[in-house]
Amino acid sequence: MENIIDDVITETEKEQLIKSRIGQSTFKKTLLAIEKKCRLCGISDERFLVASHIKPWSKSDNQERLDVNNGLLLCPNSLFDKGYISFDDDGTILISDSLDEATKVFLNINESMSLEMNESQKQLMKWHWENVFENRNKLNFSGYNSPVMTICPE
């Protein structure tokens, strides 16, 4: 198996993978030292927490990759990373229209959820909202010269 991996992945790629995992581990440890629990539900068991980048690792520069302002400690349901949820500039959750009620209940998310963000996080969240969030074309980001519309219409 190791020979197959050696043939497929170059030495430079291996080095990059190792560095990215080390960086991600450092990022999570730093975020855990500050936040201690999921920003939405309050779970504090480190085994069940993910250090999510607001602006994804692959789109961030080296400074943004390790900047704790570019992170949220969340449960590992990947909704944020995959663009099914985001947050407006006042921290109110934005939920994709593609999630039905049963899914929202199962994943324990609802329209009343919110979180606090500092100014750096708000700027990065604007990037997430514009580039990752599924409903980005249906909503406007308040605080950035446009009104916010209803998140999940009744």
Side-chain angles (χ1 to χ4, degrees), residues 51-102:
S52 293
H53 282 81
I54 298 170
K55 183 176 180 182
W57 177 277
S58 63
K59 305 291 184 189
S60 297
D61 61 31
N62 289 335
Q63 180 182 351
E64 291 169 331
R65 287 177 176 160
L66 300 178
D67 180 359
V68 293
N69 288 313
N70 188 21
L72 298 175
L73 207 53
L74 298 169
C75 291
N77 61 26
S78 300
L79 293 174
F80 182 78
D81 294 335
K82 292 182 178 177
Y84 293 108
I85 64 170
S86 192
F87 301 89
D88 69 15
D89 64 311
D90 71 358
T92 302
I93 193 169
L94 304 171
I95 303 173
S96 169
D97 291 340
S98 70
L99 296 181
D100 61 32
E101 286 305 314

Side-chain angles (χ1 to χ4, degrees), residues 20-37:
S20 70
R21 296 314 314 154
I22 291 170
Q24 180 65 21
S25 176
T26 301
F27 179 72
K28 182 176 181 179
K29 286 178 185 174
T30 306
L31 205 51
L32 278 166
I34 296 168
E35 297 195 1
K36 312 271 190 236
K37 61 186 179 179

